[in-house]
Amino acid sequence: MADRTAPPPRATSNRSTTPVSHAFTDYIGSGWADRPDILPSARPQASFAAARRQSLSAAFPGVTVVVPAGAAKVRSNDTDYPYRAHSAFAHLTAWGADTVPGSVLVLTPTADGPDSGGHTATLFFREAAGRDSDEFYANPEIGEFWTGPRPSLTQVGVDLGLDTASLTALPAAIESAAAETVTIRGIDATVDSMIDAHLDARLDLVSTSTTPHVDGSFPASETTGPTDADLEREASESRLVKDDFEIEQMRLAVDATARGFDDVIGDLDAIVAHPRGERLIEGTFNRRARADGNTVGYDTIAASGPHACILHWTRNDGPVLPGDLILLDAGIELESYYTADITRTLPVDGTFTAVQRRVYDAVLEAADAAFAIVRPGIRFREIHQAAMTVIAERTAEWGLLPVDAAESLEPDKQYHRRYMVHGTSHHLGLDVHDCAKARRELYLDGVLEEGMVFTIEPGLYFQPDDLTVPEEYRGIGVRIEDDILVTASGAENLSSGIPRTADEVEAWMRR
């Protein structure tokens, strides 16, 4: 018999014409083949995720930690944006593109006491519904007839190496935790709408942050404890150094992205022929992202001609004209959510003009100067300083600055920054700008360690209406961006296989 106590579909689903007669519900709930609970093999990254949870557990002894994957977000009326789980959730569970929306990871202190530091991890999610439930056919938000099958609790437990429970059991689990420990939510992501209000009310018990111990952990008590921001910070900082699985994923993401760049060059004739060729660049690259990965890691920047001077040009509605440069900033995100972030600047007709090559070579020199100093022990900010020294020297040499390079590099001058206003590097991983909540002293002022992955991406951008530069420079924008891994003795350019020098790029275009 159909379960007529199941939650109704959300209000936006009133377009449904599903019959509601008992005869229909009885008929649609019968005549289905058995679905065997086929157990998967444990995914390789599950052991890495377990180690990450142990690290988080040690930082929050005696604290119940709640990490939602997040709910689907409405795009318009009753259609949602493509779902992506929160990066911290993916990092701690090893669940990526196959995450069931609305899932929640809960770390509960062990019974050994609030100061033991240990936690039991449980993954709450909406498991597969029976074919005799109203949800199956009548709920377009979550019904499997509409959105596809969901795994069982056992399947996910084996796959991820985690204890699992139904999402409907989460409120009771939070109630129990609230009675025993300080509970934090910690991640800016909503959970399933049916339990959201209840969960929010219980998690509001969190008070202001206490002062951390010397080891970075937080004391727990009945009235005080770490805040959401403390957990977000820890989740970010734990991703600054990548483990072996993450590094391998970064390599695979770079390889897929390289194929996407090759695809764009292969489609160049059609791109140039179309009045909105930038859109074709975007579409060609995104096709590869969907074929070889999950999707793009961020909105593709396909900037041709003067659009290359707009740092985050994602409208991509302009023509691609012979004689201009294409600045293509793009990266493929894998099913695991790890993404590449690579930029190449290409001459549309296959050959750089003398001025374009001059600008290109200066940017390449800046990138190479920055890469040359990367090794464990230097500070992250030194990478930017190395690149900017070259940018200042070349723009001064071309007569674009009101002072010489040395004076421009003084902290209270920085005239060369007019032509490169952005930073040179950012950490990379699950998010294209990864570890965003990390403390300044561990990020910008942090010391490089083996296993860190970040970009090096200097550029020069001469706006088409910039009267401080000769006319021949105006409208030229060049950026070269690579993905860098810090090794034990130096660094590896993960994207060095994608042509970088002007000669290599021209040969690439001819192919």
Side-chain angles (χ1 to χ4, degrees), residues 16 29 35 52 54 62 64 92-93 125 223 225 230 236 242 256 266 287 298 339 350 382 385 407 469 479 488 492 505:
S16 175
R35 292 192 292 182
R52 299 167 198 155
Q54 289 176 358
T64 298
L92 292 166
T93 63
F125 71 96
T223 58
D230 296 325
S236 278
K242 269 59 180 177
R287 178 183 60 191
Y298 52 96
T339 184
E382 294 178 50
Q385 293 166 351
E407 185 174 351
V469 300
R479 182 162 65 249
E492 177 187 350
V505 168

Side-chain angles (χ1 to χ4, degrees), residues 25-67:
T25 56
D26 291 343
Y27 183 67
I28 198 172
S30 63
W32 299 101
D34 290 337
R35 292 192 292 182
D37 201 15
I38 300 174
L39 299 183
S41 300
R43 60 183 68 189
Q45 60 266 45
S47 61
F48 292 97
R52 299 167 198 155
R53 293 193 297 273
Q54 289 176 358
S55 177
L56 188 69
S57 171
F60 295 94
V63 174
T64 298
V65 178
V66 181
V67 184

Side-chain angles (χ1 to χ4, degrees), residues 7-28:
R10 60 185 177 185
T12 53
S13 64
N14 57 11
R15 60 183 170 82
S16 175
T17 57
T18 302
V20 293
S21 69
H22 293 314
F24 172 80
T25 56
D26 291 343
Y27 183 67
I28 198 172

Side-chain angles (χ1 to χ4, degrees), residues 247-264:
I247 291 170
E248 179 60 24
Q249 291 298 292
M250 298 303 298
R251 294 186 189 281
L252 295 174
V254 168
D255 290 346
T257 300
R259 293 191 290 274
F261 277 69
D262 284 336
D263 292 344
V264 169

Side-chain angles (χ1 to χ4, degrees), residues 84-88 236 239 242 297 333 337-339 426-436:
R84 188 189 192 278
H86 195 285
S87 294
S236 278
R239 304 207 301 266
K242 269 59 180 177
E333 175 187 277
Y337 287 166
Y338 289 88
T339 184
H426 60 78
H427 280 268
L428 181 67
L430 282 168
D431 293 342
V432 65
H433 290 175
D434 209 22
C435 314

